[in-house]
Amino acid sequence: QVLVNIGNHFDLTSSIFVAPRKGIYSFSFHVVKVYNRQTIQVSLMQNGYPVISAFAGDQDVTREAASNGVLLLMEREDKVHLKLERGNLMGGWKYSTFSGFLVFPL
């Protein structure tokens, strides 16, 4: 579910954010794993390359969360998305979130 998408630069079908202009952007995400005895890893990808990752791997905890955030210099048409590298996430927008916005245009 998309809560705010001013300018429609986040494509819900592909789950990709496309920068409308060059600038400094802020991105953050929060994910929750489903099962104990597993590790999750989620990476924020910029143009197909990992920029930051978050891990949750406590083997005795069923609902463990992982979060991360970053400021990125992006060119117009650069793409950002999340990639689940390992594990299973808790379904639904109330549990796992992704946010991105322009901080400073260049």
Side-chain angles (χ1 to χ4, degrees), residues 7-100:
N8 292 313
H9 301 290
F10 179 77
D11 181 356
L12 183 59
T13 304
S14 65
S15 298
I16 294 174
F17 175 84
V18 180
R21 62 183 301 169
K22 181 177 181 176
I24 305 298
Y25 289 78
S26 174
F27 293 97
S28 63
F29 61 92
H30 178 85
V31 294
V32 178
K33 74 177 191 176
V34 177
Y35 309 111
N36 60 350
R37 289 187 279 293
Q38 79 160 340
T39 297
I40 60 168
Q41 176 186 352
V42 175
S43 296
L44 184 129
M45 311 291 287
Q46 181 180 12
N47 298 324
Y49 296 97
V51 178
I52 57 171
S53 293
F55 299 86
D58 189 327
Q59 301 299 303
D60 296 324
V61 177
T62 301
R63 303 286 189 260
E64 186 180 14
S67 299
N68 210 339
V70 67
L71 289 174
L72 292 178
L73 170 60
M74 296 183 68
E75 299 292 332
R76 184 176 185 274
E77 302 295 321
D78 276 1
K79 295 174 176 59
V80 168
H81 71 279
L82 294 181
K83 180 179 179 184
L84 180 61
E85 305 274 8
R86 189 178 349 161
N88 297 292
L89 299 181
M90 186 81 167
W93 63 272
K94 293 181 182 179
Y95 301 103
S96 296
T97 61
F98 169 79
S99 296

